[in-house]
């Protein structure tokens, strides 16, 4: 198992690193990203943040938060003596030298605010992985979000323009949070492979009824998964709805059985570093990933949720604390579970990070 971890790329294609988004709070608390990555066994993470956890009110808010977030991440990387991977050669070099590295990602194109030229600014700051949508609509919408009532008819014209410009510049497009119509519209526009970084099959619901119901809109059907794979794209399986490493491996196997081993990766949707809450945040924030309406729930509903959501291992958590693991880090645990599930090293190499590397290499080459 240790040899396989050393030989293969272990990449978490969706890992949240919380940072301050308000200029006065920069650079934010110190975090041991290097140490957590070494413990995990991961070669790289897609270092992700989002700007829409707090309501976007004024024009320019999203862009300012985006730039502040990048600046905060600059400081984290400097403090941890780490770099961003700008292309596959950077990933390969870091892996060869046994140095963890990050791919800069943002979840949601809110920062664009209809200004496509901002993608060039983002690219120049190191962005190489763009999640087209997140929980809330951008001021200039890019498509329909899978947890909201459809209102844009799928991918918007600005969403299509964004995909085309990402491909021109060399930024990988992530279609997580897109409903099926938006995904299908994006696949018609995209000339390069894309990613759906964090989801699971809607037939794999786990044992927690509350979590299953909450996560259902975020899951992908077998039919839709095949559409994504037929495009040459890749789907990330998250750790949500898996009570144990064994069940996570089973969820991966189920996805492989549907789309093939060349189209599956890992995207945990967890955090390697501690959650961050702004001292100016009196309501909700990226520390707990709750929407404003969640804070207004009546007490009875909150109590019901606490009773139903007894399995905390299924929710957002520290990556290296998934399933209560203590003796070894995340990727070590996953590789061990995949071996027990019958996967061979060649298959683990693809799922662990090889498939992501393939499409990242294609995506980051300018059109």
């Amino acid at each position: 198992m240790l040899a396989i971890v050393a030989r293969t790329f272990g990449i978490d294609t969706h890992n949240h690193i919380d940072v301050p988004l308000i200029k006065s709070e920069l650079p934010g608390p110190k975090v041991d990203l290097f140490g957590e990555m070494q413990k995990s066994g991961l070669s790289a993470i897609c270092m992700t943040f989002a700007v829409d956890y707090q309501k976007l009110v004024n024009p320019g808010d999203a862009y300012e938060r985006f730039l502040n977030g990048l600046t905060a991440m600059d400081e984290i990387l400097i403090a941890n003596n780490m770099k961003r991977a700008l292309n596959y050669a950077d990933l390969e070099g870091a892996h060869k030298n046994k140095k963890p590295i990050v791919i800069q990602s943002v979840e949601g194109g809110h920062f664009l605010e209809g200004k496509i030229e901002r993608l060039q600014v983002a690219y120049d700051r190191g962005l190489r992985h763009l999640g087209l949508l997140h929980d809330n609509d951008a001021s200039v919408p890019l498509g329909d979000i899978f947890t909201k009532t459809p209102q844009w008819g799928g991918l918007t014209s600005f969403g299509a323009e964004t995909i085309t410009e990402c491909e021109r510049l060399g930024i990988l497009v992530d279609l997580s949070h897109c409903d099926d119509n938006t995904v299908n519209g994006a696949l018609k526009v995209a000339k390069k492979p894309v990613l759906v970084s964090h989801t699971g099959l809607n037939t794999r619901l786990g044992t927690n009824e509350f979590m299953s119901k909450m996560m259902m809109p975020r899951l992908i059907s077998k039919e839709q998964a095949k559409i994504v794979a037929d495009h040459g794209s890749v789907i990330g399986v998250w750790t949500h709805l898996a009570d144990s490493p064994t069940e996570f491996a089973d969820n991966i196997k189920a996805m492989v059985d549907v789309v093939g081993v060349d189209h599956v990766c890992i995207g945990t949707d967890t955090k390697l570093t501690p959650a961050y809450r702004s001292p100016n945040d009196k309501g909700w924030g990226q520390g707990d990933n709750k929407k404003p309406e969640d804070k207004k729930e009546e007490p009875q509903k909150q109590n019901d949720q606490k009773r139903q959501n007894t399995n905390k291992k299924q929710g957002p958590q520290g990556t290296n604390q998934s399933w209560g693991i203590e003796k070894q880090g995340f990727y070590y645990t996953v590789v061990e579970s995949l071996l027990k599930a019958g996967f061979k090293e060649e298959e683990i190499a693809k799922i662990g990070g090889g498939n992501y590397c393939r499409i990242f290499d294609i995506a980051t080459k300018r059109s």
Side-chain angles (χ1 to χ4, degrees):
M1 180 266 289
L2 295 177
I4 293 176
V5 170
R7 285 193 292 262
T8 62
F9 280 96
I11 299 179
D12 184 353
T13 67
H14 191 73
N15 197 288
H16 284 274
I17 304 299
D18 285 355
V19 290
L21 303 179
I22 299 172
K23 192 170 185 178
S24 62
E25 297 173 17
L26 297 178
K30 294 185 182 301
V31 296
D32 185 17
L33 179 59
F34 184 90
E36 288 297 323
M37 287 200 66
Q38 279 200 317
K39 179 181 178 181
S40 72
L42 291 165
S43 313
I45 62 166
C46 295
M47 185 178 186
T48 308
F49 71 110
V51 304
D52 66 322
Y53 287 121
Q54 292 178 311
K55 189 175 181 180
L56 295 162
V57 178
N58 304 307
D61 280 353
Y63 191 47
E64 182 180 356
R65 291 181 196 178
F66 173 69
L67 295 177
N68 289 338
L70 288 178
T71 298
M73 289 189 163
D74 289 343
E75 294 300 321
I76 287 175
L77 295 178
I78 290 170
N80 285 268
N81 192 27
M82 292 174 63
K83 295 181 178 180
R84 294 182 175 94
L86 304 180
N87 48 48
Y88 174 66
D90 288 345
L91 286 177
E92 192 174 37
H95 188 254
K96 183 178 180 180
N97 293 322
K98 297 180 171 56
K99 289 196 68 173
I101 197 166
V102 304
I103 298 106
Q104 186 62 65
S105 172
V106 67
E107 195 168 22
H110 306 79
F111 70 95
L112 297 172
E113 297 179 308
K115 295 178 172 59
I116 200 68
E117 63 273 14
R118 288 181 180 173
L119 273 176
Q120 180 70 62
V121 177
Y123 181 87
D124 292 341
R125 292 290 301 270
L127 186 76
R128 292 296 184 274
H129 181 142
L130 173 67
L132 199 67
L133 306 182
H134 194 223
D135 290 332
N136 302 290
D137 286 317
S139 59
V140 178
L142 295 95
D144 281 312
I145 300 165
F146 58 19
T147 49
K148 296 171 71 76
T149 302
Q151 54 183 325
W152 312 113
L155 187 73
T156 66
S157 58
F158 185 64
E161 185 182 1
T162 298
I163 292 171
T164 299
E165 181 65 359
C166 280
E167 292 193 334
R168 185 189 73 81
L169 288 170
I171 298 172
L172 177 64
V173 175
D174 186 346
L175 299 180
S176 297
H177 290 269
C178 297
D179 74 354
D180 288 353
N181 283 337
T182 303
V183 169
N184 294 340
L187 295 180
K188 291 178 182 177
V189 172
K191 293 179 171 59
K192 296 180 180 181
V194 298
L195 178 72
V196 178
S197 64
H198 53 293
T199 186
L201 286 176
N202 65 6
T203 54
R204 306 286 302 179
L205 298 177
T207 58
N208 187 305
E209 184 179 348
F210 169 74
M211 285 293 291
S212 299
K213 184 177 180 181
M214 184 174 72
M215 292 297 176
M216 178 58 83
R218 299 164 170 81
L219 302 176
I220 193 169
S221 68
K222 291 180 179 180
E223 295 74 19
Q224 188 65 27
K226 289 176 183 176
I227 291 172
V228 173
D230 286 345
H231 181 264
S233 299
V234 175
I235 301 169
V237 179
W238 60 10
T239 51
H240 300 317
L241 303 179
D243 293 341
S244 66
T246 299
E247 191 166 348
F248 182 54
D250 289 343
N251 289 349
I252 289 174
K253 186 176 187 303
M255 187 69 79
V256 168
D257 289 344
V258 171
V259 301
V261 74
D262 293 323
H263 302 283
V264 180
C265 66
I266 295 167
T268 68
D269 195 19
T270 60
K271 305 172 191 283
L272 260 177
T273 57
Y276 174 81
R277 180 184 288 278
S278 166
N280 297 304
D281 181 5
K282 305 303 181 184
W284 57 285
Q286 59 183 323
D288 58 12
N289 290 359
K290 291 181 180 178
K291 303 180 182 67
E293 56 267 29
D294 294 332
K295 293 291 185 178
K296 299 177 181 177
E297 291 170 338
E298 64 276 15
Q300 182 60 48
K301 185 175 181 181
Q302 290 178 333
N303 290 334
D304 288 345
Q305 287 185 358
K306 289 178 182 178
R307 285 195 296 269
Q308 292 173 23
N309 191 17
T310 55
N311 186 0
K312 294 182 180 179
K313 293 188 287 293
Q314 290 183 329
Q317 60 203 301
T319 312
N320 282 323
Q321 289 74 47
S322 298
W323 312 296
I325 56 179
E326 296 177 356
K327 294 181 180 179
Q328 59 190 16
F330 174 78
Y331 189 53
Y332 293 101
T333 301
V334 170
V335 169
E336 184 177 60
S337 299
L338 291 175
L339 286 169
K340 290 178 180 178
F343 285 97
K344 299 176 181 178
E345 180 175 344
E346 179 184 355
E347 297 170 318
I348 293 172
K350 291 180 177 183
I351 296 165
N355 290 333
Y356 181 85
C357 286
R358 182 184 72 249
I359 64 170
F360 182 73
D361 187 28
I362 296 169
T364 52
K365 290 176 178 175
R366 286 188 173 237
S367 297

